[in-house]
Amino acid sequence: MGSKHLTRAGLALAVLGGLAGGTTYGARELLHRQAAQARRAIGKPLGEVAPSADKHYKKKYGAPVDLLVLGDSIAAGLGAERAKQTLGSRLARGIAEHAGRSVRLRTAAVVGSESSMLAAQLASLPGTYRPDVAVIVVGGNDVTHRVPVAESVRHLADAVDRLRALGAEVVVGTCPDLGALRPVPQPLRALGSRASRQLADAQRGVALEHGARVVSLAHVVGPFFITNPEEMFSLDRFHPSAHGYKRTAKAMLPSVLAALGVVEAVPFGHHAPGVGGSG
């Protein structure tokens, strides 16, 4: 998610995590001060445009796979220094390596997007475009903008339905755990963690119900970001670094390969519609 969208994070997370339960005036003031502190710590050193990684990978392999990536700044790859370090590029190369096929990557993800913006990303695609597999990573901005969970997952379900109507297999990476963001002080960080996990659980349920595969990012890569933040986060300490994207792509790849019929078994934290997944 774009760091510019932290401007209302304190209010959003306060409402989600405590105000409805009767948080005191003093506690509200503390949360506002902490949100301001987090904004100052994070800033916008990366800008708002991710490296463009769209191209035809491993053309010599033939039989191309059309890979579409939708969602927010994580899907777009903000924080990567070079195109080849983005989530989309790493997934494309992973598919080519394991499937023995070339991959045509198209990234429609936009930095700062909420789930409601998935429809516009889909609308931006050429009318004749038919992806074989689509990867969606979205949700962090929904949390910081206090979008109701029901509204967020409704937009996600609509996107999954539209993609499947095009004949695409869909893999959803659920909302990361915002509790991993060290520049955000406590108790704001704990409130963000709770809200992001609630959204992730709802995303998993609705995505499976609508026929998508799901990767629970808080489970499969969250621990790496919590225990090794200096390596996993980029210089803004908010978006993944090149190594963070490498870990995230490696974690998501099994479900992408399973969606393409390349593998059958998937590890912990991966879920398949109809069978409940393995994690």
Side-chain angles (χ1 to χ4, degrees):
M1 63 191 146
S3 55
K4 67 179 180 178
H5 294 293
L6 278 181
T7 53
R8 289 175 288 173
L11 175 60
L13 297 180
V15 171
L16 284 167
L19 292 182
T23 304
T24 66
Y25 175 80
R28 291 199 297 270
E29 287 300 301
L30 172 62
L31 292 171
H32 283 300
R33 289 198 301 272
Q34 290 185 335
Q37 178 183 337
R39 290 195 298 271
R40 289 192 298 270
I42 292 169
K44 290 193 273 188
L46 302 176
E48 297 174 10
V49 179
S52 176
D54 289 6
K55 68 176 187 177
H56 194 166
Y57 291 79
K58 303 294 184 181
K59 287 184 181 180
K60 64 181 180 180
Y61 287 7
V65 172
D66 281 299
L67 168 65
L68 173 65
V69 181
L70 302 165
D72 57 21
S73 58
I74 294 177
L78 190 66
E81 296 178 6
R82 292 182 286 176
K84 71 177 185 179
Q85 298 169 341
T86 63
L87 178 64
S89 178
R90 290 190 181 279
L91 287 174
R93 286 179 283 135
I95 292 169
E97 177 184 350
H98 289 86
R101 298 172 61 183
S102 67
V103 179
R104 293 182 296 212
L105 171 64
R106 183 184 293 270
T107 305
V110 177
V111 173
S113 289
E114 301 171 10
S115 299
S116 61
M117 300 172 189
L118 292 173
Q121 293 177 21
L122 286 168
S124 73
L125 301 172
T128 58
Y129 179 65
R130 297 293 183 270
D132 295 299
V133 61
V135 172
I136 303 174
V137 181
V138 74
N141 294 311
D142 295 73
V143 173
T144 62
H145 291 172
R146 56 191 177 118
V147 177
V149 170
E151 181 179 336
S152 295
V153 298
R154 175 172 58 82
H155 290 298
L156 177 61
D158 288 345
V160 171
D161 287 344
R162 290 181 60 184
L163 287 163
R164 288 181 55 77
L166 294 175
E169 295 295 328
V170 183
V171 179
V172 174
T174 57
C175 182
D177 183 1
L178 299 189
L181 300 176
R182 294 292 182 88
V184 179
Q186 298 290 11
L188 188 60
R189 194 193 319 160
L191 299 178
S193 179
R194 184 170 71 178
S196 56
R197 286 178 178 271
Q198 288 173 342
L199 177 56
D201 287 344
Q203 288 177 322
R204 179 180 64 183
V206 77
L208 291 172
E209 182 180 322
H210 286 257
R213 290 179 174 269
V214 174
V215 182
S216 296
L217 294 180
H219 295 148
V220 299
V221 293
F224 295 103
F225 282 86
I226 291 172
T227 60
N228 198 7
E230 296 301 322
E231 185 177 34
M232 299 296 288
F233 284 105
S234 61
L235 59 89
D236 70 354
R237 297 185 291 163
F238 189 73
H239 295 92
S241 64
H243 192 75
Y245 280 118
K246 182 178 181 179
R247 280 282 188 185
T248 303
K250 182 178 180 181
M252 294 195 72
L253 186 60
S255 276
V256 177
L257 294 175
L260 292 168
V262 177
V263 302
E264 293 185 3
V266 290
F268 170 80
H270 292 245
H271 313 270
V275 297
S278 66

